[in-house]
Amino acid sequence: MINFSHVSKEFDGKTVLKDANFTVHDGELFVLVGPSGSGKTTMLKMMNGLEIPTSGIVEVNGMNVSETNLRQLRLNVGYVLQTGSLFPNLTVGQNVALIAKMKKWDDKRIIADTDELLDRVGLPHKEYAYRMPSELSGGEAQRVGILRALLTRPQVILMDEPFSALDPLSRTQLQDLVIDLHNEFNITIVFVTHDMREAIKLADRLCIVHNGNIDQIGTPDEVVNHSATSFVHELFENEEA
């Protein structure tokens, strides 16, 4: 579970997040959505200690992020960025295995689990495990990034606009993959996007962020059909749940 209690954040005297209060439930696919610069990524980074609140408390699995061991926190919270997050000097297999290596898993287990996951997401390990990131398409690279975050079965995975640079077909395929993996492994996922259709497709619940304020939290149906503010209505008026 992730909990924000009266969380605010300032940068150079400018408030970018104002008194945020919400809970992400265990096993939930929770989507932060809103325009660029609204505060979504700042909120996401607070969940693994990349940003610390100016005021308020962020808790992950009952631990105050500001007071916990950040290395241990980050080893147990997967993080998927936009394209370009793979280490170019490591093979695909080594990239997927990176967190497991840091957690000192047995090598045989790492290889077996890496190969299994590569096969499961359409990247046959015999063909892909020894490729370098430069040999992958954008969609393939993001699959590898997702597997790296997933391999050690963390309790939480954070995804920061991971598909924004991809072509529509790759984006649709990876959205479907995230839904399938989430349903299978029951991992809590917090997903940031500015794409309303993507948000509606993925979310168990949506959190609409606007100018540092949370305008509404609800299911896709609630947000689309019972908008709490005029901004939310305008944001989703052309979308279908």
Side-chain angles (χ1 to χ4, degrees):
M1 184 176 73
I2 300 168
N3 189 65
F4 275 53
S5 180
H6 299 290
V7 175
S8 297
K9 180 65 177 179
E10 296 181 1
F11 291 107
D12 298 323
K14 179 183 178 181
T15 301
V16 297
L17 186 65
K18 308 166 189 174
D19 196 35
N21 294 278
F22 65 90
T23 297
V24 180
H25 304 298
D26 290 341
E28 187 171 33
L29 207 168
F30 190 83
V31 177
L32 297 166
V33 62
S36 296
S38 59
K40 308 183 301 295
T41 294
T42 297
M43 293 165 69
L44 194 77
K45 288 181 176 180
M46 288 181 183
M47 297 176 190
N48 73 346
L50 288 172
E51 297 288 354
I52 300 299
T54 303
S55 60
I57 296 174
V58 177
E59 292 178 311
V60 176
N61 297 322
M63 297 184 296
N64 185 337
V65 172
S66 298
E67 299 176 353
T68 194
N69 182 307
L70 291 181
R71 183 178 186 277
Q72 289 302 314
L73 173 69
R74 291 168 185 164
L75 284 175
N76 291 292
V77 176
Y79 201 43
V80 182
L81 302 170
Q82 295 181 11
T83 54
S85 62
L86 300 184
F87 289 91
N89 59 322
L90 300 181
T91 66
V92 165
Q94 289 170 332
N95 265 286
V96 174
L98 187 63
I99 304 302
K101 282 279 190 182
M102 295 173 69
K103 297 180 85 166
K104 302 186 185 304
W105 277 24
D106 176 75
D107 285 344
K108 289 184 179 179
R109 179 186 178 188
I110 291 174
I111 292 170
D113 286 7
T114 296
D115 289 351
E116 178 186 357
L117 282 178
L118 285 169
D119 292 343
R120 293 268 299 281
V121 302
L123 302 175
H125 73 272
K126 291 182 179 179
E127 182 179 350
Y128 282 89
Y130 295 98
R131 287 191 184 184
M132 302 305 291
S134 60
E135 301 175 86
L136 304 178
S137 68
E140 289 170 343
Q142 282 305 79
R143 287 173 189 261
V144 174
I146 292 169
L147 295 187
R148 182 174 63 194
L150 179 67
L151 181 66
T152 60
R153 307 296 192 271
Q155 294 171 307
V156 177
I157 293 180
L158 309 177
M159 297 188 169
D160 190 4
E161 304 219 32
F163 311 145
S164 61
L166 302 180
D167 63 87
L169 178 60
S170 295
R171 189 166 190 154
T172 297
Q173 291 173 339
L174 285 170
Q175 289 166 356
D176 293 340
L177 175 63
V178 166
I179 292 170
D180 289 344
L181 293 175
H182 171 254
N183 290 338
E184 179 171 353
F185 295 108
N186 196 36
I187 292 173
T188 305
I189 296 177
V190 183
F191 192 104
V192 167
T193 184
H194 64 267
D195 184 301
M196 306 311 144
R197 289 186 181 275
E198 182 168 74
I200 291 169
K201 178 177 179 177
L202 293 177
D204 293 326
R205 283 193 303 153
L206 296 161
C207 176
I208 295 86
V209 190
H210 179 221
N211 290 334
N213 294 297
I214 295 176
D215 275 27
Q216 187 173 358
I217 296 176
T219 66
D221 179 71
E222 289 169 344
V223 169
V224 172
N225 296 310
H226 306 283
S227 302
T229 68
S230 59
F231 172 78
V232 175
H233 175 74
E234 292 170 4
L235 199 64
F236 289 94
E237 64 180 344
N238 295 319
E239 309 297 343
E240 295 180 358

